[in-house]
């Protein structure tokens, strides 16, 4: 089904179809690199956006809201960067390319706007990203590529 916030606005070439996917790995250790980058991105998302949102730390008037948003903003840039790296690695592997390159592109494209929408109380993009991450993690695990989330990333690296 369609994900919330998913429109036809993706940049052309960012979501490969099966014809654009390779028949063998085009990057050495593509799956390993994908798992590392996806684990960092998804762990950062859950630590700095999803959990604070669920706990009410990003709600208007919440104690520590400004600090939580500063961290969420830093995390958004980190997440987008790591998801783009994970997407490049996924596109280099035939199975991952077909399954999850498109959802990864969606996460990378919406994480920044999700933080901005949260400032106005709109959590639809954060919820959509969380759902998409779940879809990616499930699809990867079903194909023998489990993602271990790293919820202690160094947001200042890169």
């Amino acid at each position: 089904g369609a994900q919330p916030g998913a429109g036809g606005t993706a940049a052309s070439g960012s979501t490969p179809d099966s014809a654009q996917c390779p028949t063998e790995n085009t990057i050495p250790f593509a799956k390993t690199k994908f798992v590392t980058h996806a684990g960092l991105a998804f762990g950062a998302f859950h630590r700095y956006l999803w959990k604070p949102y669920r706990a009410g730390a990003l709600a208007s008037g919440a104690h520590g809201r400004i600090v939580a948003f500063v961290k969420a903003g830093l995390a958004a840039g980190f997440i987008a960067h790591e998801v783009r790296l994970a997407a490049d690695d996924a596109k280099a592997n035939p199975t991952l390319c077909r399954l999850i390159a498109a959802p990864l592109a969606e996460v990378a494209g919406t994480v920044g706007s999700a933080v901005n929408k949260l400032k106005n109380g709109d959590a639809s993009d954060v919820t959509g990203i969380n759902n998409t991450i779940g879809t990616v993690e499930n699809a990867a695990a079903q194909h023998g590529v489990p993602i271990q989330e790293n919820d202690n990333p160094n947001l200042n690296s890169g």
Side-chain angles (χ1 to χ4, degrees):
Q3 291 292 327
T9 58
S12 66
S14 65
T15 53
D17 60 30
S18 296
Q20 295 170 303
C21 290
T23 55
E24 59 187 45
N25 275 354
T26 58
I27 296 175
F29 307 107
K31 284 183 183 178
T32 303
K33 292 175 182 176
F34 161 76
V35 168
T36 299
H37 293 300
L40 285 166
F42 298 170
F45 172 81
H46 285 116
R47 178 176 178 180
Y48 294 106
L49 276 89
W50 185 246
K51 288 178 183 172
Y53 157 68
R54 298 281 296 180
L58 301 172
S60 181
H63 178 71
R65 181 176 191 249
I66 293 171
V67 171
F69 266 109
V70 169
K71 288 179 181 178
L74 280 172
F78 175 85
I79 293 162
H81 175 74
E82 290 297 323
V83 167
R84 284 186 198 102
L85 293 174
D88 289 345
D89 296 328
K91 289 176 192 174
N93 175 271
T95 303
L96 295 177
C97 180
R98 285 191 311 277
L99 290 173
I100 55 185
L104 284 173
E106 180 182 325
V107 170
T110 58
V111 70
S113 66
V115 173
N116 289 332
K117 286 183 178 181
L118 267 178
K119 291 176 184 171
N120 298 319
D122 179 355
S124 60
D125 280 1
V126 171
T127 302
I129 290 170
N130 189 60
N131 292 340
T132 302
I133 287 173
T135 299
V136 168
E137 289 179 336
N138 289 337
Q142 287 174 2
H143 288 84
V145 190
I147 298 167
Q148 180 67 44
E149 288 191 13
N150 178 346
D151 67 357
N152 197 23
N154 180 357
L155 298 182
N156 297 318
S157 66

